[in-house]
């Protein structure tokens, strides 16, 4: 199963609404089950450097089917995934990437958000992912 464009747009709309609510500017990327970009938004005046980060967060969450913050915990020195961020053309292992699941709990894609603190990035990404269930 793959996320549809309609679902990806709904995830982005929910993420944008959350970003607006918490008064921040974000880059928001949604990838399908194959980690291919389906939809992307660069809010006016959001950091340019966060464009790439948001897309990598989405892909990282899909590659490993878990939030990027969880991968970050495992990739610390001495951790079982130490240095994993150097694989797959570069991963992002801090919060802001979340798998997207359908109503049957199947992973159909992922959302990645970047533009503020990792706590806010994660909150905005989670809002986008939750809009699909």
């Amino acid at each position: 199963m793959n996320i549809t464009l309609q679902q990806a747009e709904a995830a982005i709309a929910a993420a944008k609404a959350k970003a607006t609510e918490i008064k921040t500017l974000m880059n928001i990327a949604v990838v399908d089950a194959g980690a291919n970009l389906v939809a992307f938004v660069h809010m006016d005046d959001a950091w340019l450097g966060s464009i790439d980060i948001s897309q990598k967060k989405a892909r990282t969450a899909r590659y490993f089917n878990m939030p990027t913050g969880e991968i970050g915990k495992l990739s610390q020195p001495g951790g079982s995934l130490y240095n994993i961020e150097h694989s797959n053309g570069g991963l992002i292992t801090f919060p802001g990437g979340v798998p997207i699941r359908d109503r049957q709990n199947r992973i159909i894609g992922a959302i990645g958000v970047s533009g503020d603190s990792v706590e806010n990035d994660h909150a905005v990404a989670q809002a986008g992912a939750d809009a699909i269930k």
Side-chain angles (χ1 to χ4, degrees):
M1 293 291 304
N2 263 329
I3 193 167
T4 65
L5 177 58
Q6 183 178 6
Q7 289 170 314
E9 289 172 337
I12 284 183
K16 280 176 49 184
K18 182 66 173 180
T20 300
E21 174 190 321
I22 62 174
K23 296 178 174 64
T24 190
L25 303 172
M26 297 288 189
N27 291 284
I28 306 163
V30 176
V31 298
D32 65 15
N36 302 296
L37 187 64
V38 175
F40 174 79
V41 121
H42 168 78
M43 293 176 73
D44 293 342
D45 297 322
W47 294 334
L48 294 176
S50 290
I51 293 171
D52 182 58
I53 293 170
S54 67
Q55 292 178 23
K56 284 183 178 173
K57 283 182 181 182
R59 288 187 181 99
T60 300
R62 176 57 187 116
Y63 287 157
F64 298 99
N65 296 333
M66 68 177 83
T68 54
E70 294 303 311
I71 297 167
K73 292 175 188 174
L74 299 170
S75 65
Q76 297 303 306
S80 60
L81 298 179
Y82 182 60
N83 278 331
I84 195 167
E85 65 274 7
H86 301 291
S87 70
N88 295 287
L91 302 176
I92 301 294
T93 59
F94 46 87
V98 178
I100 297 175
R101 297 176 182 272
D102 65 12
R103 291 187 177 133
Q104 290 76 41
N105 208 36
R106 296 175 296 204
I107 295 176
I108 58 172
I111 185 169
V113 174
S114 184
D116 202 70
S117 68
V118 293
E119 294 82 11
N120 284 346
D121 288 0
H122 178 75
V124 171
Q126 193 64 60
D130 289 346
I132 303 308
K133 273 194 156 181

